[in-house]
Amino acid sequence: MTKPMADNNSVVAGEVSLVQFNDKVIIVQILVMMFLFINSLLIMTFFRKECFYTTARYILFAVTLLSDSLILVISNILLILNHFGFTIQVWMCVIISAVVLLYMRVTPVTLTAMTLERYVAICMPLRHAELCSTRSTMHCILIIHGLSSVPCIVVLSTFFASASFSLYEQHRLCTVEMLILYRWQSHVRSAVHEFYFLIMAIIIVFAYVKIMKVAKAASGEDKKLSWKGLRTVILHGFQLLLCLIQLWCPFIETAVIQNNVMLFINVRYSNYILFGLAPRCLSPLIYGLRDETFFNALKNYVFFGLYKRNI
């Protein structure tokens, strides 16, 4: 029979002095607040102009902003709770973990949909208005959430099948890894996630090749638009790569904690910064700052607010 996985939370809470990591927690708070502030400005700018909330790529961009902001808030709350050793009942942690698992997948799946939108806009411009209408985009958002919920359902199903009823009433430090009770559950989760990212990687490469062919054959303004779309696809691919690396982090952390608890804390902190926060700060860069229309609207919104305050 497969042996249960070790409870990493109890080891860390029992052997590591929490006071030592105050500086790291403060750095995370600064980064999270900064990203949330930028995301809030972008979201408010999105809702101020009709051309944004009626255009497919901007609607999908807003979905990534909202999902990233939600993940930042929840993961930061869990970080603080774990840092100070606060425990909650397992059933409550299961609900929180379900939300985290869902919206951690929403962003990469939405990025894939945004890549397909760029492919349609550049390679099939005559059908873009039909395929990427506001109505179609709303249906796409429902499909995105449906696809993103499958890994979450798989993880929760394996947990419900393995956990005893008494476990739900226990108080523990809340992490998503708490849902993994046995090694085979970890393998199932990894297989599902890697299958998803394989499909998304194929879509990214397919769109890249098609857009590159159009870019080489285009001329003038069309050529400029095509190469800009190509750079956007490359950035989406880089974001997906960071998200994929994040899936491997639990395996690295599990191996490290067997040998050195202090090293485990440092590795987990680095993974959270590089593969948890970094991919979620790229979305504002790709569409919020690189997009000329959106960036001009953002500047007008920010300066108008400051001007009114001075008056």
Side-chain angles (χ1 to χ4, degrees):
M1 182 177 177
T2 308
K3 294 183 178 180
M5 297 182 68
D7 187 356
N8 295 344
N9 295 333
S10 59
V11 176
V12 176
E15 297 186 18
V16 180
S17 174
L18 297 173
V19 180
Q20 297 175 4
F21 305 106
N22 282 337
D23 56 337
K24 295 182 178 180
V25 173
I26 291 172
I27 292 173
V28 170
Q29 300 311 302
I30 294 172
L31 291 174
V32 169
M33 291 302 106
M34 182 176 66
F35 294 151
L36 286 177
F37 175 73
I38 294 172
N39 285 1
S40 299
L41 286 178
L42 295 173
I43 291 170
M44 287 187 286
T45 303
F46 168 79
F47 285 107
R48 286 180 68 87
K49 283 189 173 291
E50 184 179 357
C51 65
F52 294 146
Y53 55 80
T54 57
T55 304
R57 63 189 176 124
Y58 293 120
I59 296 173
L60 294 175
F61 170 54
V63 171
T64 64
L65 289 177
L66 291 170
S67 64
D68 286 346
S69 298
L70 180 62
I71 285 295
L72 285 174
V73 170
I74 295 178
S75 64
N76 190 49
I77 291 173
L78 293 179
L79 175 71
I80 294 173
L81 290 177
N82 290 340
H83 175 76
F84 291 105
F86 289 116
T87 59
I88 62 176
Q89 283 190 304
V90 170
W91 68 266
M92 188 180 299
C93 182
V94 170
I95 295 174
I96 296 172
S97 298
V99 176
V100 172
L101 286 171
L102 172 61
Y103 282 94
M104 281 185 69
R105 300 283 77 79
V106 164
T107 293
V109 175
T110 306
L111 290 175
T112 307
M114 294 170 76
T115 299
L116 288 175
E117 187 276 333
R118 287 293 82 198
Y119 162 73
V120 172
I122 294 171
C123 300
M124 306 167 62
L126 298 180
R127 299 198 62 194
H128 182 261
E130 173 192 351
L131 296 176
C132 300
S133 64
T134 304
R135 183 183 179 87
S136 300
T137 306
M138 293 303 155
H139 292 159
C140 180
I141 292 173
L142 293 177
I143 294 172
I144 287 170
H145 281 76
L147 292 174
S148 302
S149 66
V150 173
C152 175
I153 292 172
V154 170
V155 173
L156 290 177
S157 298
T158 58
F159 174 77
F160 292 146
S162 305
S164 61
F165 288 109
S166 60
L167 177 63
Y168 296 101
E169 298 179 356
Q170 296 179 16
H171 285 74
R172 293 191 178 185
L173 296 176
C174 185
T175 64
V176 175
E177 285 74 21
M178 190 199 66
L179 300 177
I180 307 299
L181 302 176
Y182 297 95
R183 297 286 181 186
W184 66 267
Q185 292 173 284
S186 178
H187 297 323
V188 170
R189 180 182 66 172
S190 298
V192 173
H193 286 166
E194 288 173 12
F195 172 75
Y196 264 62
F197 277 92
L198 176 63
I199 298 300
M200 289 186 279
I202 291 173
I203 292 174
I204 292 283
V205 172
F206 169 79
Y208 175 85
V209 172
K210 291 293 185 180
I211 294 174
M212 184 160 46
K213 289 182 180 179
V214 173
K216 288 182 177 180
S219 60
E221 289 296 321
D222 290 338
K223 191 177 188 69
K224 182 180 178 181
L225 178 63
S226 299
W227 283 109
K228 186 175 181 180
L230 192 63
R231 289 194 295 270
T232 301
V233 171
I234 293 173
L235 287 172
H236 286 336
F238 180 65
Q239 278 184 287
L240 287 176
L241 177 62
L242 292 178
C243 293
L244 177 61
I245 294 175
Q246 189 180 20
L247 294 180
W248 298 333
C249 292
F251 297 102
I252 299 172
E253 293 166 5
T254 301
V256 170
I257 198 173
Q258 306 296 333
N259 301 315
N260 192 315
V261 176
M262 289 296 298
L263 181 60
F264 165 79
I265 293 295
N266 292 327
V267 168
R268 193 167 213 183
Y269 173 78
S270 301
N271 287 342
Y272 180 68
I273 296 293
L274 294 175
F275 309 119
L277 296 183
R280 285 162 178 81
C281 74
L282 287 178
S283 291
L285 172 65
I286 294 174
Y287 270 102
L289 302 181
R290 287 181 66 249
D291 188 280
E292 185 178 352
T293 304
F294 200 94
F295 183 60
N296 288 334
L298 175 63
K299 285 196 298 183
N300 290 335
Y301 172 66
V302 172
F303 290 143
F304 178 72
L306 293 175
Y307 177 74
K308 282 187 65 176
R309 192 173 302 149
N310 288 334
I311 293 297

